[in-house]
Amino acid sequence: MVYPQAGERQTTLLAGPRWSFRPKTIVPYAKLLVGGGRFDFPYGYGYGNYFVVAPGAGVDLRLGQRLQVRLADFEFQMWPGFTYGSLHPYGVSAGISFQVLGSSRTKMSK
C-alpha cells in the first residue's frame, strides 16, 4: 500500500498454508500467512520492520485443470509490534491464476 503524497508505504512478505474445501468448480479456501512487513513513515521520517500475521479467506472458480479465476480474496493483517500501537490493514482482491508446470490435482489410487 502506498500513499505517494506523503511518502508513506507498507510492504509485506508473507507465506503460509492454505486449506481448500470441496475442490470442485467453486473452491472456497482459508489461509494463514506469517512474515515480515516494512513501514516507511511519511515525509521520510524513517522506517521500521515488523512481524505480521494475516488470516484470510476467498473463493476460486476452476475453469479447467490449469486455469482458475479468483472471485474474491480477503486478507486481514495484524502488525502487533507496530511502533504506535497495533496496525490492522486489510484488503480485497480478485484475479486469474494459471498453472504452468505439473498437475493441479493429485490422483490417488486405491
Side-chain angles (χ1 to χ4, degrees), residues 45-60:
Y45 289 140
Y47 68 91
N49 295 310
Y50 304 94
F51 174 72
V52 179
V53 177
V59 177
D60 287 346

Side-chain angles (χ1 to χ4, degrees), residues 1-10 39 42:
M1 187 175 344
V2 177
Y3 298 101
Q5 300 86 352
E8 181 182 322
R9 178 188 333 226
Q10 299 172 24
F39 190 95

Side-chain angles (χ1 to χ4, degrees), residues 28-94:
Y29 64 87
K31 62 183 179 176
L32 180 61
L33 308 174
V34 295
R38 177 181 165 129
F39 190 95
D40 293 311
F41 290 92
Y43 307 108
Y45 289 140
Y47 68 91
N49 295 310
Y50 304 94
F51 174 72
V52 179
V53 177
V59 177
D60 287 346
L61 173 64
R62 189 180 309 259
L63 298 178
Q65 287 289 329
R66 298 177 183 268
L67 182 64
Q68 293 187 100
V69 174
R70 171 106 351 118
L71 299 176
D73 179 81
F74 177 77
E75 185 174 296
F76 180 80
Q77 294 181 356
M78 295 175 277
W79 299 44
F82 189 68
T83 304
Y84 300 105
S86 188
L87 185 65
H88 300 286
Y90 60 90
V92 176
S93 62

